[in-house]
Amino acid sequence: MIKKIFISALLCCTFLTANADEGMWLPNLIGSRIKDMRAKGFRLKAEDIYSINKASLKDAVVQFGGGCTGEFLSGEGLLLTNHHCGYGSIQRLSSVEHDYLTHGYWAMSKEEELPVPGLTVSLLVRMEDVTERLAKGEKAEDIIAEAKKGEGYRASIEQMYYGNQQFLFVYQTYRDVRFVGAPPSSIGKFGGDTDNWVWPRHTGDFSIFRVYADENNNPADYSKDNKPYQPKRHFTISTKGVDEGDFTMIYGFPGNTQEYVTADAVEYVAKVSDPMKIALRTQRLEIIEAAQAESAEVRIAFAAVHAGIANAWKKWQGEVMGLNRLGTVEKKRAYEESFAAWAKTKPEYANLLDDMHKAYEEVIPGYYMRELYSESIATIDAYSFARSLWTAVTRAEKEGKTYDVEKAHQNFLKTYNQNIDQAIARRMVVEFCERVAPERMPADLKVQINYYGGVEKYVDALFRSSRLLGKEPITVSDVRGDAMTEFVRMFNTIRNDALNYSYRNLSNVPAVEKYYRPYMRALREWDKERAFYPDANFTLRVAYGTVAGYEYADAEYHHPVSTIDGIIAKDDPNIYDYNIPQSLRDIYATKDYGRWGQTINGRYSVPVCFLATNHTSGGNSGSPVINGKGELIGINFDRTWRSTMSDIEFDPTICRNISVDIRYVLFVIDRIGGASYLFDEMNLK
C-alpha cells in the first residue's frame, strides 16, 4: 500500500506540475510571474503589460471578430491578425471577378480600403476581481449595467477556477472595420489543410485591417466621415529576428482549456467524443473537396466552410494522439488517487470524487447525443433552413404577425448548393442511425426509412419532394406541410434535449460543474507546489516562453525557424494550396530579398515561421508574439499537431506554438504586395 501511494505521489509530481512555460495568466495579476519572466529575458514591468492608469500593451491588443486576436501596428488604427481570422471577411468581399482569396488584395490608399459589414473589434478597457462584491450581495446584473456606461461599452462577469474567483471584463467595441490587404491564399493559406497543425510550416498567415472611429475616437457605424482610430498604444516592430532561446510572450484571447478536469472527462474526449467527430467530419470534407475540385465557383463559395470543418477535425486527431501518447487518463487517475487519500480525512472533500464520477455517468449519454446531433443532422443546410423557417413562422403566429417566408426562401437559395447538401445528408443520416442509442432513435424516422427501403433512398425522396428547396415561390402553408419540416419535427425531442447539454465542455454541464468549485478549492489546498492558472475562456491572457525546437522522434530534431527555401521545396503549380505566386518564384531565383534577407542555418534566405514554447489555444490565433523588450516579432497562428492536447495536458518537451515571423509579413507586404507605403505609419526597429 505504501509503495502504491508513493508511485501515485510520484506521478502527481511529474504530471501537472506547472512548468515555467505552461500557463495562461491574467494580465492584471501578472506581477506574480514577473520574476520568472525576467529570468527568461523579459525587460519590462508588470505595469507595461497591464495598466488602467496609463497606456500599456493591453491597449494594443484586440478581440478580432468572434474568436480571434489582433494587434495595432500604428497610431492610425492599422490592425494585424491572421489570414484565417480574416478569411470569412475576405470571402464575403470576394467574387469570381474579384477573387481576393486566390489573388490577394492591397489597398494602395485609405480610399481603397474595403468596409466589412458586421466585422467588429473589441478592446479591453479594464478587468476587476468582483468576487468579494458578489459575496457581499451585489447583483451581477447591477455591476454589469454600471460598467457598460460608455459609448460602445459591453461587459461581462467571467468565472475563474470554476467560480472560486469572478472577474468583470469591460470592453469597447468598434464597428467600422475595413479590409486593407492580404496576400493570396497561396501564401496566406500555403499548405492548406495538409500542412495545418504540422511543422515545418511555411504559411504567411496574416491579413491587415484598419479600425475607424468617429471624430471623438469613439465607436461608430460605417461612415465616409469616420477617421482612423487612434489607439492608446501600438506595437513597435522588431526586424532583428529571433534565435533559439529568445524570450517570447503571447498576449491574446485563448478560448478553451480544461487543465483540471478528472479522468472521466479526458476518457470521454479521447475515446468517445473526438473519434466520433473526426469520423463524421471526414465524410463531410470528402464530399465538399470532390465538389470543389470540379468548380472554381464552388471552391470559393465553400472555402470558409471547408476551413471551418477541417481546422477542428485535424486538431482533434492530434489531441487523441497526444492524450494517448502521454497516458493522460492514467495519470489523472493516479493524481486523483493521491488526492482521495488526502481528502479522506477532510469531511467536506471526502466523497467529492465519488460524486463527480457518478455525475459524469449520468450526463455523458445526453452530452454525447448533443454532439452526435450537432455533428450529423444539424450540419444539413436544408434541415437548418427548414427549422429556422418553421420556428420563425410559429413565433410570428403567436405574436399575431406575419413572416415573409418567400423572402427568406429566396435569400437561402442564393447560396444554397443542393447537390453537396444532399450528399452530406445521405451520409450524416446514415451515421446518425448507426451511432444513436436504439432507445433514442426517432420513431417516425425509423418508419420512413423502412417505407423507402433504406436511409439513402429516404433522404433522396425527402430532398426531391421538398418545396422549400425548389425555385417556385412558397407560402406559410407550404412550410407547415413540407416533408423537410416533417423531418425537422422528427428531431424535436433530440434537439430540445440537446439544449440541456449546450455547454462548452462536458465538464461545464451544471450537474457536473457544481462539483468543480469545491474540487478546485480542494486541489489548491492540497497541491501547494502547483502553480494554478485559470482555464482559458476567451478572456485576455499572457503566456510566455522561449523560441525552441523539439525532438519530434528519436534522433529527429525540428529546428525552430523555417525559411523561404521550404516554400520553394513544396511549390507545385498543379496543387492549389502549393501553387505560389510567380513573383515569389522570381524573387527566390535571383535571391533579391532586399532588407529582409539574412543568413539562416548557413543559407541566405528569408525567415517564414518560428516555434516557441508558449501555452496557446484556439482564440490565440492572431495574437502578437512579443520579445523581451515588448516589440512585435511575430503573429501566433497554430500549434504543432502533437501539441493539440495542451488544452488538457501541457507537455513542455513537445508543446510548441507556431508563429509567422514578422519579417516574412513585411517581406510579403513589400516584395509581393507592393504596399510598402504602409511602413510609413509603422515603427520599424
Side-chain angles (χ1 to χ4, degrees):
M1 180 65 181
I2 293 176
K3 182 178 179 181
K4 187 174 182 181
I5 293 175
F6 173 76
I7 292 174
S8 296
L10 182 63
L11 282 167
C12 167
C13 293
T14 56
F15 169 61
L16 288 173
T17 301
N19 301 281
D21 295 345
E22 179 185 357
M24 299 176 177
W25 309 96
L26 291 167
N28 67 331
L29 302 178
I30 199 63
S32 65
R33 308 302 303 177
I34 284 294
K35 183 177 180 181
D36 187 50
M37 293 173 71
R38 294 187 67 82
K40 284 178 174 281
F42 189 60
R43 294 295 172 258
L44 303 181
K45 300 176 182 178
E47 194 176 23
D48 294 314
I49 296 174
Y50 176 91
S51 175
I52 59 173
N53 299 314
K54 67 173 187 176
S56 60
L57 293 178
K58 83 165 174 63
D59 299 307
V61 183
V62 304
Q63 283 184 343
F64 181 86
C68 285
T69 303
E71 52 273 1
F72 287 117
L73 299 184
S74 80
E76 296 183 68
L78 197 66
L79 186 71
L80 188 64
T81 189
N82 286 151
H83 185 271
H84 77 260
C85 293
Y87 202 76
S89 296
I90 300 170
Q91 181 197 33
R92 289 194 296 274
L93 295 172
S94 294
S95 64
V96 173
E97 295 77 20
H98 300 285
D99 186 356
Y100 302 138
L101 286 177
T102 298
H103 304 298
Y105 177 79
W106 302 97
M108 292 303 167
S109 67
K110 290 185 177 67
E111 288 70 30
E112 292 185 3
E113 295 172 357
L114 305 177
V116 187
L119 179 60
T120 63
V121 301
S122 296
L123 291 77
L124 178 68
V125 177
R126 65 183 177 89
M127 55 186 297
E128 175 190 346
D129 188 338
V130 294
T131 310
E132 290 189 12
R133 292 175 63 184
L134 291 168
K136 290 178 180 179
E138 284 193 63
K139 294 181 179 179
E141 52 267 33
D142 292 339
I143 295 175
I144 291 172
E146 179 64 27
K148 286 166 58 177
K149 293 180 179 178
E151 181 62 42
Y153 276 34
R154 63 180 175 86
S156 63
I157 293 177
E158 305 294 343
Q159 308 294 309
M160 307 294 166
Y161 306 110
Y162 291 92
N164 283 290
Q165 281 184 281
Q166 299 180 73
F167 280 79
L168 171 71
F169 290 84
V170 183
Y171 300 90
Q172 192 170 31
T173 299
Y174 285 77
R175 306 184 296 277
D176 186 354
V177 184
R178 305 181 195 179
F179 179 42
V180 175
S185 287
S186 53
I187 289 178
K189 201 173 182 291
F190 182 80
D193 296 323
T194 303
D195 284 7
N196 194 18
W197 302 103
V198 299
W199 184 261
R201 197 73 179 272
H202 302 90
T203 309
D205 196 348
F206 76 93
S207 57
I208 305 173
F209 294 79
R210 193 184 301 276
V211 180
Y212 282 77
D214 67 14
E215 60 183 6
N216 298 314
N217 212 36
N218 286 321
D221 293 330
Y222 169 79
S223 170
K224 292 180 180 179
D225 297 327
N226 286 345
K227 308 295 182 184
Y229 170 71
Q230 298 177 351
K232 295 178 181 177
R233 181 79 175 258
H234 64 273
F235 283 105
T236 295
I237 299 172
S238 172
T239 61
K240 296 178 181 178
V242 299
D243 293 313
E244 191 153 14
D246 284 354
F247 175 87
T248 57
M249 183 181 108
I250 297 282
Y251 210 163
F253 294 86
N256 181 33
T257 58
Q258 306 179 72
E259 302 292 340
Y260 308 108
V261 293
T262 65
D264 312 81
V266 181
E267 187 170 43
Y268 174 76
V269 168
K271 297 183 179 180
V272 180
S273 176
D274 280 4
M276 178 269 288
K277 293 184 291 190
I278 291 166
L280 268 59
R281 291 201 175 198
T282 297
Q283 296 184 56
R284 289 165 60 200
L285 287 170
E286 288 173 349
I287 292 167
I288 292 171
E289 287 167 0
Q292 286 180 309
E294 298 293 325
S295 164
E297 187 175 0
V298 171
R299 175 178 53 76
I300 294 171
F302 279 79
V305 173
H306 184 283
I309 297 170
N311 191 51
W313 166 77
K314 196 165 186 178
K315 184 258 187 184
W316 291 326
Q317 294 175 59
E319 185 171 67
V320 170
M321 180 176 65
L323 293 173
N324 290 336
R325 178 181 62 83
L326 291 171
T328 305
V329 173
E330 291 73 22
K331 287 181 183 179
K332 287 276 189 180
R333 285 179 178 148
Y335 186 76
E336 290 159 23
E337 185 177 346
S338 296
F339 168 78
W342 170 85
K344 195 173 182 178
T345 59
K346 308 288 189 299
E348 65 272 38
Y349 304 135
N351 299 315
L352 189 54
L353 279 175
D354 290 338
D355 291 337
M356 294 175 79
H357 297 327
K358 183 178 179 182
Y360 272 114
E361 289 178 0
E362 292 175 351
V363 303
I364 281 176
Y367 195 82
Y368 173 78
M369 273 302 302
R370 193 268 291 182
E371 290 200 302
L372 174 61
Y373 164 76
S374 297
E375 290 290 334
S376 59
I377 305 302
T379 67
I380 302 168
D381 289 340
Y383 169 86
S384 298
F385 172 61
R387 180 171 61 82
S388 64
L389 204 57
W390 183 38
T391 301
V393 167
T394 303
R395 182 184 299 117
E397 288 177 343
K398 287 182 178 179
E399 296 174 355
K401 301 176 182 178
T402 57
Y403 182 75
D404 192 341
V405 296
E406 178 54 19
K407 181 179 179 181
H409 178 228
Q410 291 303 318
N411 287 337
F412 170 71
L413 292 180
K414 287 178 183 178
T415 58
Y416 182 60
N417 187 308
Q418 182 169 333
N419 289 335
I420 293 176
D421 194 36
Q422 189 167 338
I424 288 174
R426 289 192 199 103
R427 296 309 310 151
M428 292 303 97
V429 179
V430 166
E431 288 292 333
F432 176 85
C433 293
E434 290 180 352
R435 295 172 183 273
V436 68
E439 66 275 12
R440 293 177 181 262
M441 178 72 170
D444 290 343
L445 178 60
K446 185 184 293 186
V447 169
Q448 291 296 320
I449 291 170
N450 290 337
Y451 176 81
Y452 283 97
V455 173
E456 294 191 358
K457 289 182 179 179
Y458 162 62
V459 171
D460 288 343
L462 173 64
F463 275 73
R464 199 165 50 242
S465 62
S466 176
R467 285 181 56 84
L468 305 187
L469 309 182
K471 295 182 179 180
E472 294 298 320
I474 63 171
T475 65
V476 170
S477 296
D478 292 325
V479 175
R480 288 199 193 97
D482 195 80
M484 194 61 69
T485 305
E486 183 56 36
F487 181 64
V488 168
R489 292 191 186 103
M490 293 177 189
F491 292 91
N492 277 354
T493 299
I494 288 173
R495 188 176 63 254
N496 291 336
D497 287 347
L499 295 175
N500 296 323
Y501 295 93
S502 296
Y503 297 94
R504 185 172 49 184
N505 302 304
L506 172 64
S507 301
N508 298 121
V509 177
V512 173
E513 189 179 54
K514 67 180 182 180
Y515 294 110
Y516 271 99
R517 181 178 289 193
Y519 183 58
M520 286 302 305
R521 189 165 59 245
L523 288 183
R524 296 170 82 177
E525 289 179 25
W526 167 62
D527 194 354
K528 296 186 182 297
E529 297 300 313
R530 185 174 178 181
F532 288 89
Y533 53 90
D535 274 325
N537 56 3
F538 201 46
T539 55
L540 192 60
R541 304 295 179 90
V542 171
Y544 62 93
T546 56
V547 175
Y550 68 104
E551 187 174 5
Y552 178 79
D554 182 42
E556 184 180 344
Y557 186 77
H558 281 194
H559 292 278
V561 179
S562 66
T563 70
I564 196 172
D565 300 79
I567 294 176
I568 300 302
K570 294 177 179 178
D571 178 29
D572 187 341
N574 298 312
I575 301 176
Y576 178 78
D577 289 330
Y578 293 99
N579 182 19
I580 64 174
Q582 184 60 43
S583 57
L584 186 54
R585 296 188 186 105
D586 295 341
I587 290 170
Y588 180 80
T590 61
K591 301 295 188 291
D592 183 18
Y593 303 141
R595 64 185 291 192
W596 315 113
Q598 66 176 91
T599 300
I600 303 172
N601 297 327
R603 297 190 308 274
Y604 184 64
S605 192
V606 177
V608 177
C609 298
F610 64 87
L611 295 173
T613 61
N614 304 101
H615 193 176
T616 62
S617 184
N620 274 128
S621 291
S623 292
V625 187
I626 307 164
N627 65 15
K629 298 178 182 179
E631 299 164 340
L632 186 68
I633 57 174
I635 321 166
N636 180 76
F637 71 96
D638 209 353
R639 286 173 280 176
T640 57
W641 203 32
R642 299 182 71 180
S643 302
T644 55
M645 77 294 177
S646 64
D647 290 345
I648 295 175
E649 179 180 359
F650 185 89
D651 178 3
T653 66
I654 206 166
C655 284
R656 298 291 183 270
N657 65 296
I658 306 175
S659 303
V660 190
D661 194 304
I662 197 64
R663 293 167 296 175
Y664 185 58
V665 173
L666 299 173
F667 166 80
V668 172
I669 293 172
D670 182 17
R671 305 310 304 279
I672 306 299
S676 58
Y677 81 93
L678 291 170
F679 300 161
D680 295 340
E681 61 181 283
M682 300 180 193
N683 184 9
L684 303 182
K685 188 174 181 181

